Structures are given as structure tokens and as C-alpha cells.
Amino acid sequence: MCAKLLVPLTLVMASCASVPSDRSQNVAPTASLSTMPAKEFIGSFAPWDDWDKPAPPFSIMGNSFYVGTCGISAILIRGDDGHILLDSGVPEAAPLILANIRSLGVDPRDIRFILMSHEHYDHVGAHAALAAATDAQIVASEQAAQVLERGVVSEEDPQAAMGHPPFPRVKVDRIVVDGEVVKLGNLELTAHTTPGHSPGAMSWTWASCNLPGDPPVCRNVAYVDSLSAVSADDYRFTDHPEVVAAFRKSIDKVRSLPCDYLLTPHPSASQMLKDLRDETFGEPGACQRYADGLSQKLEDRLAKEKSKRAPGNWL
């Protein structure tokens, strides 16, 4: 997904199809963060878009930037003493993300931590390549760390039998637990364990503040994991009450997160494109609405399972 913010936030954005092909190792001059019109191209993007489709970066708010692809999120938080990257995307996305980071005038080698949402190849597949390019520390939950270091999903994952492709293994440098704060200079990101979609899934919250030279304004940003009840055809959540309990607990946690801006690993899961088009991105109550929708979808899935005698495709 790519879109243009139509709210008074700064942007560095253009059409997905017009991303420059220059993938050199040089860091570009600091990109202009002035607002750019979007109406002429915002309609060219599908609600769900390709995971490896190039997208230019844009400013979410202050020092937080979207640097992912059209279909998969990657978030850069710029700090005074280095930067933090959230998620990496599919393996093929590594050069695209690095190019986006450089286009913001950021040297990838100044990224100190790479964090994750959940341990599936479409969100952590490029971790190894980005770790090599940045020398950043890889941060994960205990359950996710085992998957990152093996390169294959856990057998306990509801999607284990779906044929997720393996991804390059990467060493995890730091294990974090629920409520732990990852600090880097003026940056503080709080970890929230939100298992359900995967056993090691995490969500993150932080205060994003305007860059120097802009009015001193900060807002709460929540990067909330997918929390969708997706599984292999023969997997029934009703047969795994501990997973259902984890889902419900995670959704309740999301409902109460500090959340002026909601981001998700799949941008369309939180209807980012629609919100950008409707100029509602950043309106209050996003996490609560997202949690309510997740809760309803989970209950619908459980009801369908109870009404079916044989396993089926639950996607």
C-alpha cells in the first residue's frame, strides 16, 4: 500500500510505480518533508497490495516514517543517538527498505535496533540482510527468537501447516518481555506481547515527536500486530482453548494502548489507505475500533468452527 497523507503531517511520498531505481550505497541528502498533493495518484493503489512492490517513504508523524513496501509495513523511528527499525518484510524487500531509509538522509549503519511484530517470513524475512547492512541488534520475544534463529515457523503456530517458506536465519541479540522498554537516547519503545496470530507476536508503542525546527508536538503511535485468526485448513481454534484465551487477552490489551496513530504489519489491516484518503488517519479511537473488529472476527471464526463438522479453509 502507498498513499499520500491529506492531513497536516509532513510527507515524502509519491506513486509506488515511480520509486527511483538508484539503489546505490550512498546516503541521499536529507529529503524534503514538505506536504505534497496526493489526489492525482492515491486512487491507483489497491486496498491489498504486493508484498515486494516498491513504495517511497512517508512521514507518519514527527520522527516516525513508513519505509516499507506497498503491502508490508516497515517503520523507522529516528533518534538523536541512532534509529530503530520495526519489521523488515519479505527477503526481497531488503534493498527497497534500505533505499527508502537512505532517501530520508539516514545512514542505515546508524540503525541500532531491529524490532519485530510477528515471526512470519513476510515480516521478518529481510531481518538477516538488514542486520548485515546495519550491524543493528535484533530484538524479539522469546518465542519468536527461536523461529528467527531457525528460519521456519513454530509447530505451535496455527499457520504451521500452510507451507510458509523458510527465510534466512538471524541471530537474536536481545529478548524482551511484556512491558519492557527499549531505550535509545531520546527514544523509548514499549513492548507488548500480543500472541494469537503467532506464538511470539508483539506490538509496540512510543511517543513520536516533531523533528527539530517544527513545533514541539508529540503523539502516541501504536504498531499493533495482525491478531487475525488465520490458520491451516485442518486447524481448529476451538481445539486449542489456550490459543483462544491468548487471542482474547491480546485483543483486550490492544484496546487500551496509547494510540493516536495506529499502524499494522499489513497496512490494509488497519485500513490505512482508506484513512489517508478520507483524511481520518490519526483520529482518536483507532486502537479501540481495531480491537473491536478483531474481537468480532475471532468470535465469527469460532462460531463457524462449531457449526462445521469437518475442517475447511478458514482464511
Side-chain angles (χ1 to χ4, degrees):
M1 163 193 294
C2 8
K4 177 76 65 176
L5 288 178
L6 300 179
V7 293
L9 302 179
T10 55
L11 299 182
V12 187
M13 195 153 198
S15 164
C16 282
S18 63
V19 177
S21 59
D22 179 15
R23 302 301 182 192
S24 70
Q25 297 302 306
N26 296 325
V27 176
T30 302
S32 169
L33 300 180
S34 59
T35 302
M36 299 168 58
K39 292 183 180 179
E40 56 194 76
F41 61 82
I42 192 171
S44 65
F45 308 114
W48 290 88
D49 220 327
D50 294 340
W51 292 352
D52 60 351
K53 184 177 179 180
F58 69 92
S59 171
I60 297 161
M61 190 279 163
N63 61 336
S64 298
F65 296 84
Y66 187 97
V67 294
T69 61
C70 285
I72 298 290
S73 299
I75 310 299
L76 178 73
I77 305 103
R78 294 177 58 171
D80 295 340
D81 298 323
H83 319 299
I84 295 175
L85 182 67
L86 271 162
D87 276 349
S88 64
V90 294
E92 296 80 6
L96 306 177
I97 292 174
L98 289 170
N100 280 344
I101 292 169
R102 293 188 185 99
S103 75
L104 295 173
V106 173
D107 189 334
R109 292 171 296 183
D110 290 332
I111 294 173
R112 302 289 181 251
F113 296 111
I114 298 177
L115 281 47
M116 50 141 281
S117 55
H118 65 268
E119 63 276 26
H120 290 162
Y121 81 101
D122 48 331
H123 305 288
V124 298
H127 264 44
L130 293 180
T134 64
D135 201 29
Q137 291 187 31
I138 301 296
V139 179
S141 65
E142 183 175 3
Q143 296 89 338
Q146 300 174 31
V147 173
L148 288 170
E149 295 188 342
R150 289 198 311 262
V152 293
V153 297
S154 161
E155 292 181 358
E156 289 75 33
D157 194 309
Q159 298 185 39
M162 287 179 63
H164 276 252
F167 53 85
R169 296 178 292 177
V170 64
K171 178 182 179 295
V172 174
D173 302 287
R174 177 174 171 181
I175 302 294
V176 290
V177 298
D178 187 49
E180 186 170 345
V181 177
V182 175
K183 297 182 179 181
L184 177 62
N186 63 322
L187 303 181
E188 293 188 0
L189 276 70
T190 302
H192 307 273
T193 53
T194 48
H197 187 75
S198 75
M202 306 193 75
S203 299
W204 297 87
T205 55
W206 67 95
S208 187
C209 300
N210 279 346
L211 297 172
D214 292 326
V217 176
C218 296
R219 293 288 184 268
N220 293 314
V221 180
Y223 188 59
V224 179
D225 192 48
S226 300
L227 281 170
S228 54
V230 178
S231 72
D233 288 352
D234 61 353
Y235 186 96
R236 294 171 59 90
F237 285 94
T238 45
D239 295 335
H240 301 273
E242 73 286 355
V243 176
V244 174
F247 252 115
R248 288 175 172 153
K249 183 177 180 180
S250 295
I251 292 171
D252 285 343
K253 186 181 295 185
V254 168
R255 190 174 281 110
S256 61
L257 291 178
C259 179
D260 296 317
Y261 290 93
L262 169 65
L263 306 170
T264 49
H266 291 273
S268 294
S270 53
Q271 298 185 321
M272 179 187 284
L273 180 61
K274 181 180 184 299
D275 289 343
L276 293 170
R277 183 188 296 119
D278 295 345
E279 303 182 48
T280 56
F281 185 59
E283 285 194 351
C287 279
Q288 292 86 344
R289 291 190 294 273
Y290 185 56
D292 290 344
L294 292 171
S295 182
Q296 185 60 57
K297 290 176 182 177
L298 175 61
E299 298 309 319
D300 289 347
R301 165 67 188 259
L302 296 175
K304 288 180 180 179
E305 286 187 2
K306 290 178 180 179
S307 68
K308 294 183 69 170
R309 294 184 179 181
N313 190 329
W314 301 107
L315 301 184

